[in-house]
Amino acid sequence: MSEIDPALNSGNAASSSAAAGANERKLARKETWRLIRRRPSFIIGMTIALIWVVCALFGNLLAPFDPLNFRGDLNSSPTWSHPFGTDKGGRDVLSRVIAGARDVLKIAPIAAILGVIGGVILGMFMGYLRGWFDSVASRIVESFLSLPVVLLGLLAVTTLGNSNVVVIGVVATLFTPVVARTVRSAVLAESELDYVESAKLRGESTPFIMFREILPNVSGPIVVELTVRIGYAVFTVATLSFLGAGPPPPSPDWGSQVSDNYNSIVSGYWWSTFFPAMAIASLVIAVNLIADAVQSVVESS
Amino acid sequence: SACGGDDDTSAPAVTAGGDDAPAATDAPVPSGGIQQGGTMRIASQRPGSPLDPVAMDNIGSYTPVVQSFEYLCGKGEGAALAPMLAESWSPNADGSVWTFILRQGVKWHTGGPFTSADVVASLGRLAGANLGASITPDSVKALDDFTVEVTLLNADGQFPYLLSPYNPQASITPADYELGTLFDQRPDGTGAFILESFDLATGANYTANKDWWGGVPYLDRLEIVFSDDNATQINGLLGDQVEAVIQFAVSDADALFSSDAVTVESTRGAGHRQIWFNVREGMFSGDNGHKIREAVAIGIDRSKLIEQVLQGRGDIGNDHPIAPAYEFFDASLPQRERDIERAKALLEEAGVPGLAVTMYAPDLQEIALLAEVVQSQLKDIGMDITLGVESTATFYDRWCLVYDSTVEPTGCDGGADFGIVDYGNRGTPDRYLVAAYATGEWNSAHYNSPEFNEAVKVYQATVDLASRKEAIKLVQKIAHDDIPYVIPYFYHTLTAYKNNVQGIVTTGLGHYYCGKAGFTA
Amino acid sequence: MSDSPQTSGTVPALAIEDLQLAYTVRGVPRGVLRGVTFHVEPGEAYGLVGESGCGKSTTAYAAMRYMPSNAVIQGGRVLADGQDVTAMSTQELQEFRMTKASMVYQDPVQAMNPALRIGVQVAECFRILGQSKIEAKDSARQALRRVKIADPERVLDRYPHELSGGMLQRVVIAMALAGDPKLLVLDEPTTGLDATVEAEVLDLVRDLRSETHAAILLIAHNLGVIRTMCDRVGVMYAGRVVEEGTVQEVFDNPSHPYTMGLLNSIPRHGVRKTDRSLFTIPGNLPLIGTDLPTCVYVDRCPLADDICRNEVPPIVDRSDGHWTRCHHADKIDQIKPPEHENNDFDIGTDTIVKLAAVSKTFRQRGNDVPALVSIDLGFKEGETLGLVGESGSGKSTLAKTLLGIHEPDQGGSIHLDGRLVKDKATDRRVESIRAFQMVFQNADSALNRMWTVRRILHRSVTKLAGIHGAEADKKVNDLAEAMRLSQRHLEMKPRQLSGGLKQRVAIARAFAGDPRIVVCDEPTSALDVSVQAAILNLLANLQNDERTSYLFITHDIGVVRYLSDRIAVMYLGRIMELGTTDQIFAGPNHPYTEALLSAVPSIDGDARPRIPLTGEIPSPANPPSGCVFHTRCHRVIMGLCDITDPDTIELADGHTSKCHLTAEQLSVPVTFTSATV
Amino acid sequence: MRRYLLKRLGAIIITLWMLATIVFMLVNVLPGDVGRRVLGPTAKLEDVRAYNAKLGTDKPLIEQYFRSIKNLFTFDFGDSFQSGGPVMDLILPSLGRSAKLALLAFIITIPISIAAGIFAARRQDKLADRVVVNAGLASSSVPEFVTASVLLAVFAVNWKVGKVYANVPSGTSLFGQLEYLLLPAMAMVISYFGYIARMTRAGVITALHADYTRTATLKGLDSGQVMRKHVLRNALAPTITVISVQIGYLFGGIIGVEKVFNYAGLGTLMLNAVGKKDIPVLQTTVLIVGMIYMVSTLLADLLIAFLNPRVRLDGGS
Ligand SMILES: Nc1ncnc2c1ncn2[C@@H]1O[C@H](COP(=O)(O)OP(=O)(O)OP(=O)(O)O)[C@@H](O)[C@H]1O
Ligand SMILES: Nc1ncnc2c1ncn2[C@@H]1O[C@H](COP(=O)(O)OP(=O)(O)OP(=O)(O)O)[C@@H](O)[C@H]1O
Ligand SMILES: [Mg+2]
Ligand SMILES: [Mg+2]
């Protein structure tokens, strides 16, 4: 990394191989990873998130009971055989919470990824092309932002029905303008930089400049946005289910579990609400912890 | 929502009266313990449509209106009628002309006297609407200030039920009450409570009508507090913000059963859930279809369903719409029991072992839960059911398939071969039998059996209990054997109030009267 | 480890004794100051110089005991007026900062709170001294007057962003002087300011110094500033003072190889590229925390031998008060400048690039901003045209218009080899695109951070040279070699490279095709002097080999003189004077050039009369009538200059000036009264 | 400044128009025509037709669209399908209630969370900071309907502290209203505490590291003065932005809290309107919430500009 000065020291250290260079690149990437991994918030967040991912993938093996099947007592408080108790249908809450992970993890990340992809493309064009396209798109973005997410979601789900595809589509659509705004401002700042001008001086085409030159440089905010969005997606899906516009039953998704059971809290049957609620919170917190770690490393590098 | 299909405009609400006893409503009898004074707050569903007494179509709207507007006939003991604005009524020999003797001395809230002119005008308005099938505007004649004669288009021995709370749109409004006027614009009734303010967002407030013909109400004030779901209604009761919750689903009532401060009344009724099959075409039709239907009928475990879905608060169903709560119910028909082996065998015979099929259901009250339990129970007989549980709006939209204004509605046929739909409590099973189970607009099973229709006709023609009991036997049996639908249970409706509340009269349709209600010490 | 401090009878205003300071990075304390010792006598001005990162600011802030939370003092003392700053209580420290010592910082724009009016911020300094609101306001007014702000009332009412950098620096100085401090620490107070503004600020500091008798610790990159401002200077390297003495002694007889390297990297004494290459210092400053047990400079020293590696160098006294810390102080003259590789700067006769009547008007919030007004210029093959002028005069705009980044107004034209080229770069034909290239000021922003150097060069080669595959790979390697970039560097991303290396990559990229003209917009202004020298040498050598023309934009008069064949002086989007380098430096000059040149502080110690440029540069949106320079001109003839825009006249062969005054009139020296702002 | 304001107002109007367009499109993809939807599946064809004719919903879509935009700008929002009365009669009281609740929530949240943010920033990376940061994260990670349900069950039902229904009976004294509104407000406070505290913290940390803070310290100001006079003014800009964005959401986004506490605010109104397909109400509430959002962000920008004159110059005039 030291500067080799031409005047007195004519490049004697200059002949290391290209392989070493590739190695260095890998090291740099590893270094970023290492920095992220070292953060306690990342470790905690990742651990929690991984637990839920495992539940989502192998839920049917892990769940002690059939999450949809009815057995035993209704509303029985936590015991050794039902550590999270049973709900008002007599179903094992633990099994339902484990099974619920799949719904959330099927929907939230996909919705977030789609939203981020849409937002990146839109934001890229807005920030780079500017002019009338940006003005028009900005107004549309702004009008979406001024709407309560949940309301739009409700409206769309009422209109289109509540299948997983619709929920994913709705959340992704709602995230697109939000992400676009972030990407736009990153791209705006980025296109002020001279390398963009230098690419123009080289005769590069606009798509090349946008997607090959600028895009990699705004990957930091995009990665941050993605992690943050996953958290919001979990939250949004839960809220939509609570309001009756989530994934359709019998999916034991956490939001509908809370929605189905929250009125039993007053009877003292707190467990059937508490555990799915905590599941939502823990996953959102976990994703946010990861986002925090990613953000601070991305922003400091 | 408190009354099954009544809570949504697009729900298959069936509101008609019959002359037979519905479920007994154990309304507390006003006792000497009631004190004068106090404000009663009752949690109710929010009105779903404008408070047009003639056009309103949901429980949320009936409730505020009936506190002020009354009917000619009121609710009596059990399913019987009692005098209200009419002191007595009588038919001619064949039941085609009815004469109503009106109560004298009744005053409108604005002070004018109630006379036969008001009744003539009210019924005239109804002739263009809800009572169109029974009367025309010319059918109603005032014989004098307090006598009205109604000539029916077709003879009907049970006509007064159509002028009672069982037909909520039939309330009597002032003579000059224009069609389309909303109750909150002109709350000028004869009832026990005078509307003071109405706010769709929060609720309706009333003061007692000191000039009420039934006497001075105990309560000074009545407040109806609107909310959107049973959960908040029940929370309100537990949180001391209302004194009563009328008719709610058992699935939300956990908290009430365990509370000492609250009395919960469980009322047997005829409200039920119907698991329908399309028997006209598709896999559920024909002989093979019958086998599958029977497999489903004996594949489910009804008592367990009642236990898990209703926490035991329901009467077992036997795949016909006659509830055990009806006086004339025939108990001799053998109850269908679960038989997994036979169900499997039937599926095998039908050539569809491990049948995979989608079952549609609205996400209403306990129905989603019911669907899930049915799904899991039928797994035992090898059926693989996919659930299509949809929001009520989506469900009924699809169910009724009338989306545009270019076609005349053809009724609601379910739009699917297999599903669950809700039926609210009725005073008589007539409307179920006619509208939903034969050729009416709610026949999702497309069931059309001449035999059954004939049996229903015979039943309807009966005038006394004994013959009715006899007639219903066949109705029950045909439905039970044909299995166009599975009826797993008849749910009980619940009413809860603070221990010191007495005298609220509930109608079984979700609305209630508080003229004689009050607080004990 | 300890230096032997100079002892004297009085208590020094500031005495730093063997200060050792480390910054904790990832849990490990990393040494930055490795035993700094010097003192500043009352009333004395002491300069501290050294490469970026050698610890100058760290020392300055330590003197104020204002340190980042990860700083650890590992040894030594900081005595201000005899009091140990490191041992003060919070209360004492506040008192100390209020009344004993003050600081002036680089970048005055950042140093002022953007949300508060100047008046509030200045008055605050007096409020904490116990004055009432009204008193403080009054004092604030006086304080501004003291720093020669003509209209304090108006300035007090302003917000920082409404004032120029020079004005703000005056305000910061006024605040610093509020408590009548005995010690004034100035950390690069004029870096980032225009030469003309810098000169004014320095004049002010000099005046105030004689007025207040405060001791001054002045840190500056610009050695000329140190020379003109300070009595004594300390040369710092890797957290240690390696040479100290009076400015004359140190600057004229450097006795440490490092000092020597620093001074000789700068084009001094009118040296030109045709004379010789510039000195450079090989290698880099060691990273903080590096273990340097013996001579701190040993790794980069051309004289280093075994003794340097094994023994701590002694303090060698050169003359009274001038000492150096070197084993080989007497062999210092052996260090020789490098030679040119090829020394015939041969300028073609044909004009290859020509601008005719090029104007550029920006539209900003509905106003027209004419940033360029009818520029005519020609470039010959292999020629360097230097472009100078105050900030905002339109230099970059000219460059970008030439390159096709900005579209010129209707009516102007740009020709390449006699053929008209399209206005917009994206519309230009491949040959024209390849002919015009640029080296940006800030290599950080000019290189794509996510691309490796190889990818950057490869892409440029394919686009600009039009070659692909193995041929392109080879060309990349050749380019790298020519820029003295190693294979290892090719695989790195820009942020892994030092500033100098980044600028080399940028230059390599510009030369990837076969550019006819390369625009260099302040390519070295962000670099240390020695790195600057290396880059200038590289540019000179490349020009020598490729016969490329340069448009070289800079604020540094020494650099422009070294590299340019001709120089154009710009003001408010107009070329005021154009001539060969010799003509420009010999004069007679346009009054603007005169003022500009007089503002440059000389490292060589020759005193010139300063011609102040009064007032601020007018806004191009709303230029003065007549000659646009008349509002600030010291030779203004009212009634003529403010009415008539002068024509461009020829002062000598190829030497033009846009002024009403003739060569004879211009050679008469002017006398003027010291102006206030 | 005036120019800036005019420009912003122009943008708001255009955004509102877009918003109205989006909503128009959304409600028009709802299956079934309006008359059919309102009158129900069994209503007679002629009735449906008459109803549509009355509302004008039998006209071509493009005509309806222009009419709805015209109505928007003439403040003619039509009648609710649910109440039969003018939409505004429903919306205004709900808006008032939502505003009251939001105001209370803000009065509690803002000082607490800003104080916590400052507190954390001053102890950056110490234990106290971590506690605030993570508590903030956790509090904003639990959906507000969960918080609301727990508060309701624990306080209102179990301990009889506060009310189950947040609707304040008319004539209740200002202090008495607290009893009704405190619990739902607290649910909102808990949800928003995290965002605001974390934003404040970030802003304060940035400002603490700014050069002008150094200048202030080296003037000899004590740390309290530095914080009050120099840091906060600059640090609060991002916080204000966050708050302004939240205001929009508070009016419409806290449907969950309103639902749990049966509070008749805008959220409940919207939820209902969706359920009952009350299009006029839906359209108008959405527009109003959008307007609140836009106006509050405008006000925030003005406030930021007031606090930071540099923005004033950049943004306008
Ligand atoms: N808080 C810090 N933590 C870690 N390293 C630091 C910190 N502050 C400065 N450094 C490093 O310490 C070294 C000395 O910094 P300092 O600012 O004193 O240099 P300087 O001589 O003033 O340089 P410049 O001319 O660029 O201002 C540099 O390498 C710098 O990167
Ligand atoms: N894109 C633009 N829009 C509006 N005005 C501009 C634009 N770019 C430059 N200007 C204005 O044009 C004038 C010349 O700017 P330019 O950047 O060319 O100056 P410069 O001589 O390069 O200054 P510096 O030495 O600070 O780099 C300035 O007043 C500047 O404000
Ligand atoms: Mg420094
Ligand atoms: Mg420039």
Side-chain angles (χ1 to χ4, degrees), chain A residues 66 68-71 74-75 88 91 158 162 248-250 262-264 266-267 269, chain B residues 229 231 235 238 251-252 254-255 307-308 311 369 372-373 375-376 379 387 389 394:
Chain A
D66 180 350
L68 301 180
N69 218 334
F70 300 83
R71 55 183 64 245
L74 313 181
N75 290 320
K88 62 185 176 193
R91 293 167 293 195
T158 322
N162 51 344
Y262 84 99
N263 56 307
S264 317
V266 290
S267 344
Y269 308 147
Chain B
D229 54 21
N235 287 342
L238 292 173
S251 53
D252 292 314
D254 293 336
E307 192 47 49
Q308 286 181 328
Q311 307 198 4
L369 189 59
E372 289 176 53
V373 183
Q375 179 196 38
S376 87
K379 219 182 258 169
L387 291 189
V389 178
T394 314

Side-chain angles (χ1 to χ4, degrees), chain D residues 193-207:
Chain D
F193 166 80
Y195 293 112
I196 301 178
R198 282 161 63 93
M199 258 311 157
T200 310
R201 173 183 174 273
V204 170
I205 286 177
T206 308

Side-chain angles (χ1 to χ4, degrees), chain C residues 194 360-365 367 369-372 387-400 406 441 521-522 553-555 570 572-573 617-621:
Chain C
D194 255 340
K360 172 70 198 169
T361 308
F362 292 111
R363 285 206 53 89
Q364 205 173 41
R365 299 204 183 95
N367 296 327
V369 182
L372 289 182
L387 189 58
V388 297
E390 280 170 290
S391 197
S393 55
K395 305 183 295 295
S396 301
T397 307
L398 176 58
K400 290 182 176 177
H406 292 324
Q441 168 177 5
D521 193 349
E522 308 192 36
I553 299 172
T554 182
H555 283 267
M570 270 189 102
L572 276 189
I617 186 166
S619 153

